[in-house]
């Protein structure tokens, strides 16, 4: 064991899992924790301070202290690293062994292996995910299940890893009696075991960075990268990271985020579902920011369209990829007509992205690759569209805050939000962070939008299109009516987990302010299932 490092779990950690939690890897983790934990903590405190300012009426704006960075045209980010020159279709999903093989064989250019929103972080899921990625890199992941062979192809997708966000702790590992950052835990184990092997094979350690709210959080990641590259003895600037712009504050700091990571940057991504969630949450004290049904908050509404155009302009000005958003659609195999309608929506969405200037897009299911790939192949002839500078774009702070969204709040919209929140939370508690609901592959982001919309409508006494006011009692009734049907749309959800989800949602709509993240709120249930009493999460139920 490594001095000061403790593993708190009753989960059996034996080969090959023990090959991940080696003394060398834990020593590296301890070094990262002791170097960067105080900075991470101060940045999370700064998030709280910023939220209090927003609540008091101070509007979000572009930071005045970094105006010189935005104004200076001469700086650019690093050139694309090997395998990241062409990213026209990226598939995402949790690092489950079968998922890893199917995704890397899908024909997509890259696979984002996700330890964050599509992965419920049971300790087994987290450690086995690291095992699966290590084996995939070394082409040792092939296996047989149910008489079917799963085998990696000769030219699989390039691997990119998304660690969990800065706000999350990995409570099952403590260093000096303090939980380690889940971000550093996921990053460190992958980097330590695989960086040199990836370089040897002509690739590199590539990452997606989620949930950032300030350019200083990007600076922290850059410092981690510099430290880590020196620690294992590889050249600086080998790491590449794409940042998801999925929080409202980050949309005002895109230039600065790229600047902080510029020698390690691979671009920005429109994390659109989390962005909607953040827009509601950050403007929680602003009654004028109440949004209609979730289905009406599309990419063409003013605040979403403005953020997309600004992201593309920013990335291409700095010569990095501007990645489009997720198409969560999965094939509707039992209804050909409905499937064609759904696939046409995918085509239209991908055409909107490529026509706007995006350099690639996200999909959640291997069978959608062909559609997305065809749209980009026909409309993006080179490996990217960095040459499309979008100098016509002029986005002001007011544009990013324009909450004028056509649409209504309906009872169907409320029922949909309740069903998604209950189904997803129930599945997540059971260890599944990615579930199909109504032919969409949903992760935490959709459940988060559903949760905070319900809170927002109750908080401000919004009315549905019939004129009826949305109250806690109204939503309670919908919860009671929708709960019995949850197992039809999410058959794997256990009754005991659904009961917890109902209790959680009922409590959330009564809060003065919504909780920051449902994953933080519900994490104690996963740690208890791992045999650990979770005393670290302050928001435990």
């Amino acid at each position: 064991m490594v001095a000061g490092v403790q593993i708190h779990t009753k989960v059996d950690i034996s080969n090959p899992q023990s090959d991940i939690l080696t003394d060398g890897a834990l020593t590296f983790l301890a070094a990262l924790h002791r170097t960067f934990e105080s900075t991470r903590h101060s940045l999370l405190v700064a998030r709280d301070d910023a939220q209090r300012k927003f609540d008091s009426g101070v509007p979000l704006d572009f930071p005045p202290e970094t105006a010189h960075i935005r104004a200076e045209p001469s700086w650019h980010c690093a050139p694309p690293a090997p395998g990241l020159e062409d990213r026209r279709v990226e598939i995402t999903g949790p690092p489950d062994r079968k998922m890893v093989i199917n995704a890397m064989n899908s024909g997509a250019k890259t696979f984002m292996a996700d330890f964050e929103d599509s992965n419920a972080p049971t300790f087994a899921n987290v450690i086995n995910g690291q095992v699966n990625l290590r084996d995939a890199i070394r082409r040792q992941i092939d296996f047989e299940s149910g008489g079917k062979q799963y085998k990696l192809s000769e030219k699989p997708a390039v691997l990119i890893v998304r660690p969990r966000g800065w706000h999350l702790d990995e409570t099952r590992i403590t260093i000096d009696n303090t939980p380690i950052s889940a971000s550093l835990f996921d990053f460190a184990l992958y980097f330590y075991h695989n960086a040199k092997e990836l370089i040897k094979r002509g690739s590199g350690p590539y990452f997606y960075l989620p949930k950032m709210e300030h350019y200083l959080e990007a600076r922290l990641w850059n410092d981690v990268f510099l430290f880590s590259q020196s620690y294992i003895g590889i050249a600086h600037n080998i790491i590449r990271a794409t940042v998801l712009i999925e929080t409202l504050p980050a949309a005002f700091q895109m230039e600065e985020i790229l600047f902080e990571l510029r020698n390690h940057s691979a671009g920005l991504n429109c994390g659109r579902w989390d962005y909607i969630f953040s827009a509601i949450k950050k403007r929680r004290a602003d009654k004028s920011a109440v949004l209609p049904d979730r289905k009406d908050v599309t990419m063409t509404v003013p605040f979403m369209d403005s953020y997309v155009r600004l992201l593309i302009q920013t990335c291409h000005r700095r010569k990095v990829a501007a990645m489009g958003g997720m198409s969560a659609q999965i094939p509707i195999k039992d209804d050909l007509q409905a499937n064609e309608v759904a696939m046409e929506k995918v085509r239209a969405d991908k055409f909107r992205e490529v026509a706007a200037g995006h350099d690639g897009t996200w999909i959640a299911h291997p069978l959608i690759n062909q559609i997305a790939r065809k749209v980009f192949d026909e409309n993006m002839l080179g490996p990217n569209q960095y040459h499309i500078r979008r100098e016509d774009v002029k986005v002001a702070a007011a544009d990013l805050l324009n909450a004028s969204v056509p649409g209504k709040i309906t009872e169907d919209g409320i029922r949909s939000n309740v069903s998604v929140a209950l189904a997803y939370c129930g599945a997540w508690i059971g260890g599944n962070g990615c579930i199909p609901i109504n032919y969409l592959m949903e992760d935490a982001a959709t459940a988060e939008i559903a949760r905070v919309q319900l809170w927002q409508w109750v908080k401000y006494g919004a009315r549905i299109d019939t004129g009826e006011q949305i109250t806690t009692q109204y939503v309670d009734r919908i919860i009671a009516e929708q709960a019995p049907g949850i197992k039809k749309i999410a058959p794997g959800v256990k009754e005991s987990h659904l009961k917890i989800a109902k209790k959680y949602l009922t409590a959330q709509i009564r809060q003065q302010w919504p909780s920051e993240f449902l994953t933080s709120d519900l994490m104690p249930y996963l740690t208890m299932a791992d045999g650990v009493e979770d005393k670290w999460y302050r928001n435990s139920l």
Side-chain angles (χ1 to χ4, degrees), residues 332-512:
I332 306 173
K333 296 180 179 179
D334 54 357
D335 188 333
L336 293 178
Q337 186 174 356
N339 186 65
E340 183 51 39
V341 171
M343 295 306 112
E344 188 53 42
K345 289 181 180 179
V346 173
R347 291 184 191 96
D349 182 53
K350 300 314 171 191
F351 180 75
R352 176 193 56 78
E353 290 184 323
V354 72
H358 279 297
D359 304 294
T361 190
W362 270 17
I363 61 171
H365 193 283
L367 293 178
I368 305 299
N369 173 65
Q370 188 175 357
I371 294 171
R373 181 67 178 266
K374 188 172 188 291
V375 172
F376 269 79
D377 285 350
E378 290 176 351
N379 296 280
M380 189 175 84
L381 302 182
N384 56 58
Q385 300 194 90
Y386 296 1
H387 60 283
I388 297 179
R389 296 290 297 273
R390 293 305 306 267
E391 292 175 354
D392 59 304
V393 170
K394 306 293 181 187
V395 173
D399 299 316
L400 295 173
L401 298 173
N402 185 347
S404 177
V405 176
K408 302 174 182 177
I409 303 171
T410 67
E411 182 164 310
D412 284 346
I414 295 172
R415 289 185 182 277
S416 175
N417 279 350
V418 166
S419 293
V420 165
L422 291 179
Y424 186 82
C425 290
W428 196 91
I429 296 165
N432 185 0
C434 186
I435 62 170
I437 302 176
N438 298 326
Y439 300 103
L440 296 173
M441 193 61 74
E442 304 288 20
D443 67 7
T446 306
E448 290 284 39
I449 299 171
R451 173 177 71 93
V452 295
Q453 275 205 311
L454 292 169
W455 172 86
Q456 186 186 52
W457 294 338
V458 169
K459 173 75 173 180
Y460 293 108
R463 296 182 183 274
I464 62 174
D465 55 348
T466 63
E468 187 173 0
Q469 187 172 15
I470 304 169
T471 63
T472 53
Q473 293 75 22
Y474 179 97
V475 178
D476 287 345
R477 174 175 64 81
I478 301 295
I479 291 172
E481 291 172 0
Q482 295 299 112
I486 294 301
K487 290 185 71 66
K488 291 181 180 178
I489 63 172
V493 174
K494 293 183 179 178
E495 194 62 40
S496 59
H497 297 155
L498 178 58
K499 185 177 180 181
I500 295 168
K502 287 170 60 180
K503 177 184 175 185
Y504 175 66
L505 192 58
T506 300
Q508 279 292 297
I509 62 171
R510 288 169 164 79
Q511 300 295 320
Q512 178 188 7

Side-chain angles (χ1 to χ4, degrees), residues 203-322:
S203 185
Y206 305 147
F207 298 92
Y208 257 106
L209 305 179
K211 303 289 190 293
M212 282 195 276
E213 298 190 11
H214 198 280
Y215 64 85
L216 291 179
E217 296 178 22
R219 182 180 298 176
L220 176 56
W221 268 119
N222 199 67
D223 290 344
V224 168
F225 294 163
L226 292 171
F227 178 96
S228 302
Q229 289 165 142
S230 295
Y231 187 95
I232 69 166
I234 63 173
H236 281 187
N237 308 333
I238 294 293
I239 293 173
R240 288 291 187 277
T242 307
V243 173
L244 287 135
I245 301 299
E246 55 185 352
T247 70
L248 188 58
F252 291 86
Q253 302 183 32
M254 288 191 266
E255 293 260 19
E256 293 87 342
I257 287 169
L258 286 179
F259 182 80
E260 295 294 345
L261 285 160
R262 60 194 180 280
N263 293 325
H264 295 114
S265 179
L268 304 176
N269 176 290
C270 287
R272 54 191 181 185
W273 309 127
D274 270 299
Y275 189 75
I276 297 169
F277 161 50
S278 178
I280 298 169
K281 185 173 61 169
K282 290 300 166 185
R283 302 183 69 186
R284 64 191 189 180
D286 186 352
K287 188 176 181 179
S288 70
V290 174
L291 297 177
D293 282 359
R294 176 164 45 94
K295 67 177 177 57
D296 293 327
V297 189
T298 67
M299 296 305 296
T300 61
V301 303
F303 80 98
M304 297 297 286
D305 178 61
S306 296
Y307 128 87
V308 167
R309 290 185 294 115
L310 181 59
L311 184 144
I312 294 168
Q313 181 192 57
T314 301
C315 287
H316 290 178
R317 188 181 186 210
R318 305 308 179 181
K319 297 185 179 180
V320 283

Side-chain angles (χ1 to χ4, degrees), residues 64-210:
E65 74 274 13
T66 53
H68 63 288
I69 292 174
R70 298 191 297 276
E72 174 54 57
S74 64
W75 66 267
H76 299 115
C77 296
L84 297 182
E85 301 89 350
D86 186 332
R87 301 169 62 182
R88 64 189 61 215
V89 181
E90 299 189 329
I91 190 168
T92 79
D96 169 79
R97 202 166 184 88
K98 186 168 77 170
M99 176 72 199
V100 170
I101 293 175
N102 288 342
M104 293 183 77
N105 288 348
S106 66
K109 290 289 187 177
T110 76
F111 166 50
M112 188 200 76
D114 186 22
F115 286 92
E116 202 223 8
D117 272 6
S118 67
N119 181 61
T122 66
F123 205 58
N125 283 351
V126 170
I127 299 301
N128 287 335
Q130 294 283 352
V131 171
N132 296 336
L133 298 184
R134 180 201 63 186
D135 290 351
I137 290 164
R138 291 162 178 79
R139 306 297 187 263
Q140 297 170 355
I141 195 172
D142 303 353
F143 73 103
E144 182 180 337
S145 176
K148 185 176 180 180
Q149 293 281 345
Y150 293 89
K151 183 179 177 64
L152 211 57
S153 66
E154 287 297 314
K155 292 184 178 180
V158 173
L159 189 57
I160 307 176
V161 169
R162 177 163 71 170
R164 285 168 282 176
W166 280 131
H167 60 286
L168 290 169
D169 294 334
E170 178 44 74
T171 57
R172 290 149 303 194
I173 301 284
T174 59
I175 296 173
D176 305 329
N177 298 313
T178 303
I180 191 169
S181 155
S183 299
L184 293 183
F185 183 77
D186 297 340
F187 161 80
L189 293 181
Y190 178 75
F191 180 83
Y192 181 84
H193 289 296
N194 302 303
K196 289 183 177 178
E197 185 68 25
L198 286 161
I199 294 167
K200 186 194 307 181
R201 292 173 178 268
S203 185
Y206 305 147
F207 298 92
Y208 257 106
L209 305 179

